[in-house]
DNA sequence: TGCCATAATGTACGCGTGTACATTAAATTA
DNA sequence: TAATTTAATGTACACGCGTACATTATGGCA
């Protein structure tokens, strides 16, 4: 293996060695226009001989395309607010599709208090398209997304929708999922189903509430506001609701709890255990996400499985269609099915 | 908010509006060379007026720097082999430092059976430096890393070291961590400490074994090969060892287990529970990583806390020093301390 | 054979920036 | 004041690639 300064080898050297013009080298490598087979081979041979690798920066510049998909995600180290499983699965899904289409992933951490100038990423040409994870319905975010839309930049939201505005979206069917949970509980004879929801700035929370209400109505159970609690999707927030909920379990006004994610369900479960109330015994419990934790805890937590990986794949695919103009409806709202996973707590 | 094709605004328009040459605009924006304050203001004003944003692709091309740090990580969707917590923490740490230094993160998923041409990423100029996560000591990987080193490309490994070759590394002190675990168990009166290790291609595994042995020796307990098991860091692999280990617990040849990570510890714990053996009661158990799961499971798992976030930060910092030539020892092997977290299982 | 369509290749230039070097303006010094 | 330095700015070009257009080779057809 001989050593050689790699950076000095450009199209020019290949052209010289192959005895053709630089344009021909370019055409061969990009497979554009008609060309003589013999020339093609000579160029490829020369390129291989020299170990030529096209300069991606020059390519990007000349093509006016970065070839990058931006992935915007919340910056939450040490804060176990979101399921890390959630992100890594979605990210893997995005990565799989992106790679297949020749795109790279540019990771962008959104900082809580920072201006969310997503459009700038496009204006600088750093990214050709982007996927927004963990989007929250707050004013700065809405402004940032509106600017993206106004600029005609292709982007896609995962797990969040906005009622005010139409955006390309990939989401899971949390309404149906939540209905399935409540139905399941009702089928098991529970009729006093409490609901521990997440913050309102996530459309997920609203969806789950809607599903919860719909299923209650379907079962002829009146909705009661005092059975609805709000946490922030963290385990701690679930834990902290234990005392209040314990009281209601004891006085008979709650016989089941549906928590909007596993983390809160687990926190609640632990809190209630400290108060001598066992899930699956003194009350039924169902979480949401089918996270690792739901399988680890005992009794094993009933939950709802969400196809995060597929959502990531779909988001990337839809985005790239959009960027290519292949997507018939650029504001398509994809909704993937979820599935109930009954286990020991219900 | 007026609409305007953003892409047509380049340095040229700014120069014209400010009444200066393009070079002056460039100098003002890059703050290079002496310049009249009045000119500076005029240029900045013009830039702001036009909403000028430099084209990052052109900058990268002209500077011959992508401004990207590559992060190579294993592609393991649906395979909960690694702790996803591990990756998200390290990634956040890297991202924090990178952003502070004006770098972006380019995510690269390593596929199992794919050629690992890390050097190509540098040759194409897609990245200026890179961090390798989840590196395994296998021939292709060694070759890829050796090529990086030979090419003089700045890179850094996290959580993996190679004995054959010196590379810049950020690792945690798993030898001391493992010793602390065994000491802890011995202090609690355990003397028959089994060890469930991970695969040998991770230096982490070797480190833990070394610490295990050292602590046994320190306590005057002879090392016995039949107390050493090997899993693959997955929960399942821990679960599957339950039967064998149960036997040894029952016949008195094991009274404690040290598992090389929490996932295996948890799997084992669940497996043993099915065999009517309870952690913290019939045997002591200590895991490693201080993952979410360790806090979720009951009884809560004793474990070792690893500063993943800090490791990510340090890796990025050391890498950027290296790239700038500020690092005195470009092959520096950082080792961060870990800490024992005794909980209910020991 | 001559003409034309098409294949194959070369020439030339743009992409937007950074920057070396040239030039001019201003400040300093003799 | 003239000479000299230094500040400030302009001119010109490279960076490596894609590609429109020009040019030349090739083959088909009358």
């Amino acid at each position: 293996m001989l050593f050689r300064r790699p950076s000095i080898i450009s199209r020019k050297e290949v052209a010289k060695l192959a005895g053709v013009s630089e344009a021909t080298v370019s055409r061969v490598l990009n497979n554009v226009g008609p060309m003589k087979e013999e020339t093609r081979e000579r160029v490829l041979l020369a390129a291989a001989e020299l170990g030529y690798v096209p300069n991606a920066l020059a390519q990007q510049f000349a093509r006016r395309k970065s070839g990058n998909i931006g992935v915007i995600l919340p910056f939450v180290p040490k804060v176990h607010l979101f399921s890390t499983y959630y992100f890594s699965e979605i990210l893997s899904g995005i990565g799989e599709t992106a790679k297949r289409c020749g795109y790279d992933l540019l990771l962008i951490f959104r900082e809580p208090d920072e201006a969310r100038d997503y459009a700038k990423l496009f204006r600088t040409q750093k990214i050709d398209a982007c996927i927004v994870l963990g989007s929250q319905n707050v004013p700065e975010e809405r402004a940032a997304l509106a600017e993206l839309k106004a600029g005609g930049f292709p982007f896609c939201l995962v797990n969040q929708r906005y009622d005010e505005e139409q955006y390309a979206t990939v989401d899971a069917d949390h309404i149906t999922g939540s209905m399935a949970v409540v139905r399941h509980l009702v089928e098991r004879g529970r009729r006093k189903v409490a609901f521990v929801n997440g913050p309102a700035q996530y459309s997920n929370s609203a969806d789950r509430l809607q599903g919860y209400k719909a299923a209650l109505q379907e079962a002829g159970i009146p909705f009661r506001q005092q059975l609805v609690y709000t946490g922030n999707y963290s385990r701690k927030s679930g834990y902290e609701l234990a005392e209040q909920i314990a009281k209601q379990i004891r006085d008979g006004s709650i016989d089941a709890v549906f928590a909007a994610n596993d983390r809160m369900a687990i926190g609640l479960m632990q809190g209630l255990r400290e108060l001598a109330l066992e899930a699956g015994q003194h009350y039924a419990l169902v979480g949401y996400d089918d996270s690792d934790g739901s399988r680890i805890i005992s009794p094993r937590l009933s939950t709802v499985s969400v196809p995060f990986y597929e959502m990531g794949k779909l988001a990337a695919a839809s985005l790239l269609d959009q960027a290519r103009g292949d997507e018939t409806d650029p504001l398509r709202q994809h909704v993937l099915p979820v599935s109930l996973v009954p286990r020991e707590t219900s």
Side-chain angles (χ1 to χ4, degrees), chain A residues 15 32 46 60 89 111 123 126 143 176 186 204 209 211 246 250 306 318 321 333:
Chain A
V32 56
Q60 291 168 5
E89 283 298 292
E111 294 191 47
R123 284 195 241 276
K126 275 193 178 180
T176 304
V186 169
N204 271 274
L209 179 61
R250 292 222 164 83
V306 181
S318 134
D321 284 350
Q333 312 230 337

Side-chain angles (χ1 to χ4, degrees), chain A residues 164-182:
Chain A
E164 315 83 35
E165 195 69 58
Q166 289 266 84
Y167 299 127
T169 299
V170 172
D171 206 347
D173 188 353
H174 300 306
I175 299 178
T176 304
S178 299
M179 287 185 71
V181 169
V182 176

